[in-house]
Amino acid sequence: MPSNRDLAQSRRAIETALAYCKARDAVLIGADNSGDAAKKAHWKGRSSHLRYLETENFDANGNFLATFHAAETPFVMPMGDDDELHHDAAVPAFDLSALPADHIGVRPVTHVWLPETGKGRVKEFAISAKTPAQRILEYIDAAQGDNSAFYSIFRREPYLALMELFIHHHPTKGGYCDWALMAALMSYGRMALDRGTVFRYNFTGWSTKDEIDQRNSRLYTSAGLPADAAKYSALLLYLDLFVFTARKSPPTPEEHAGLNDLMGRVLAPFIREVGSVPRDYSETMVYLAELAGQETDMMSRFHIALVMANQIQDGLKDRYVEYYQRAVSGN
């Protein structure tokens, strides 16, 4: 749990997570960069199931990585400091040591929840499709518009490698990238369902269209992108997903065909949007969108999309080229 809220605002999240850890013989790692002395005094040394890290001078990304670098277990579960984590005592603890090798992790039962109303919806699904593309599509269909499954149990090594790639090398490091990150994790392997772990995801600020539009806009501008960058969201999702799913070893023919089809589907909404309202885009972008719509080869389409990126912000293409090279080289 990377935690920036003060004691009062984060107390409920930490209390529920600590109770879960005691019940499931787990460890809560909290990296606290809030600078709240009362919070430090309350939690430091409080339990053998709590590892409290003092990270007062860390930024958000550094605080996030500090949390997971401190983990010594083969599985980790991210959690926000305004969420809640519970266990169902009637359900036996999930045996993570028995998780099949083709699984990247385990999904909890997720309550997408609005604290102010007490209302929400329950998400209970596993991801079981065979190929990376099929799993991504299965997840998008099951997610139903929210990315709460980002807060699941994952194998630590591949999870941390993906997050380090993103935080150290991504061109913008934008908070809008969470869907692409989650889709990448789905491409790595299947997800089982643990009905004994219940995660309450605080959906405050994302419950109305106006709230969603405002927060999405801030996600792009805070990443250094232009004020109108939200209109390029499908293009940016395509670029990130392409890089996140790139691998040093080539995919099988079946996997390649599936990913090629998936990437075409991801970029298609942007191509249609440019075609329907060309006045909102540069002449160069309109031309490039037409080319991308006609292209069927996966790498050739990606090269066109890289040139498109420079229409969002000058120099973004070269930054994505460097990022892609790091992803496929593993350096």
Side-chain angles (χ1 to χ4, degrees), residues 23-24 87-94 109 193-198:
R24 295 300 196 217
H87 75 285
D88 185 342
V91 180
F94 194 100
V109 174
L193 175 63
D194 175 9
R195 295 188 180 278
T197 297
V198 180

Side-chain angles (χ1 to χ4, degrees), residues 143-222:
Q144 297 179 353
D146 73 72
N147 202 24
S148 56
F150 189 83
Y151 300 98
S152 296
I153 300 168
F154 298 102
R155 295 188 187 275
R156 178 172 57 85
E157 290 188 4
Y159 177 84
L160 185 55
L162 176 66
M163 296 305 166
E164 287 183 325
L165 171 68
F166 172 70
I167 288 173
H168 291 315
H169 303 297
H170 188 273
T172 72
K173 303 175 178 61
Y176 64 87
C177 298
D178 63 328
W179 278 96
L181 286 163
M182 188 61 194
L185 289 166
M186 295 298 96
S187 77
Y188 294 170
R190 299 173 177 175
M191 294 285 286
L193 175 63
D194 175 9
R195 295 188 180 278
T197 297
V198 180
F199 190 91
R200 298 187 77 175
Y201 173 64
N202 190 334
F203 208 49
T204 299
W206 295 97
S207 58
T208 69
K209 185 180 184 304
D210 285 346
E211 288 176 337
I212 292 170
D213 289 345
Q214 290 173 15
R215 293 192 68 165
N216 276 333
S217 179
R218 288 197 297 270
L219 288 176
Y220 292 103
T221 55
S222 63

Side-chain angles (χ1 to χ4, degrees), residues 270-272 274-275 278 283-295 304 308:
F270 179 71
I271 294 172
R272 288 196 299 269
V274 174
E283 290 184 7
T284 300
M285 183 66 89
V286 173
Y287 171 69
L288 291 170
E290 291 174 353
L291 288 182
Q294 298 166 8
E295 186 56 67
I304 297 171
M308 286 178 168

Side-chain angles (χ1 to χ4, degrees), residues 286-306:
V286 173
Y287 171 69
L288 291 170
E290 291 174 353
L291 288 182
Q294 298 166 8
E295 186 56 67
T296 58
D297 178 74
M298 188 160 68
M299 282 304 302
S300 297
R301 190 191 300 122
F302 178 57
H303 289 154
I304 297 171
L306 287 171

Side-chain angles (χ1 to χ4, degrees), residues 100-113:
D102 65 349
H103 282 59
I104 183 63
V106 179
R107 286 267 300 107
V109 174
T110 304
H111 292 192
V112 182
W113 170 61

Side-chain angles (χ1 to χ4, degrees), residues 63 68 108 133 205 318 325:
N63 205 42
F68 293 95
D318 291 340
Q325 290 171 342

